[in-house]
């Protein structure tokens, strides 16, 4: 997650917060987006290739979107606050739960 520094003007008071979304891709077939506000993931199937889009979250396993091209499926993992997580986008065969290919790992920080 990029470092963000925001200074309020002298006459302003309040809390500054940043919602962080980090996305991982596998080619043009799958996109997995993590939203640190709420520890939620979205798995998008972006190709009509007869494969399912899959999110792999390190230490937590695989999460499947078997609903076909153009679909999106969401899930939430209750992470501890302020930790770094790793995840990546993959494609696979839902019926056999076989992972075919995965993209690069992405890291993100949970809210905290």
């Amino acid at each position: 997650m990029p470092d963000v520094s925001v200074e309020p003007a002298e006459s302003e008071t309040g809390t500054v917060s940043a919602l962080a979304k980090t996305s991982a891709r596998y080619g043009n077939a799958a996109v997995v987006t993590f939203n640190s506000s709420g520890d939620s993931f979205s798995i998008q199937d972006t190709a009509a290739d007869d494969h399912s889009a899959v999110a792999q979250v390190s230490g937590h396993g695989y999460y499947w979107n078997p609903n076909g091209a153009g679909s999106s499926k969401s899930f939430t993992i209750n992470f501890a606050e302020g930790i770094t997580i790793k995840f990546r986008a993959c494609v696979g065969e839902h019926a056999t739960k076989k992972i075919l290919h995965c993209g690069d790992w992405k890291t993100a920080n949970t809210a905290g």
Side-chain angles (χ1 to χ4, degrees):
M1 185 166 95
D3 292 328
V4 178
S5 177
V6 179
E7 303 257 349
E10 285 185 35
S11 62
E12 296 177 357
T13 60
T15 303
V16 176
S17 64
L19 299 180
K21 290 185 180 181
T22 305
S23 293
R25 294 184 165 275
Y26 173 71
N28 66 348
V31 178
V32 176
T33 302
F34 172 69
N35 185 341
S36 66
S37 176
D39 294 343
S40 63
F41 290 85
S42 171
I43 310 167
Q44 296 175 296
D45 188 328
T46 54
D49 57 6
D50 293 324
H51 302 304
S52 295
V54 185
Q56 182 182 10
V57 182
S58 182
H60 294 273
Y62 296 92
Y63 297 81
W64 292 79
N65 174 5
N67 300 325
S71 68
S72 181
K73 186 170 183 180
S74 297
F75 66 96
T76 301
I77 298 175
N78 189 18
F79 293 111
E81 294 183 2
I83 65 168
T84 299
I85 63 162
K86 288 176 35 174
F87 66 98
R88 63 184 176 172
C90 303
V91 294
E93 297 295 335
H94 185 255
T96 61
K97 298 295 193 266
K98 181 178 180 180
I99 298 299
L100 300 174
H101 306 283
C102 293
D104 294 336
W105 288 101
K106 295 290 185 174
T107 59
N109 294 320
T110 61

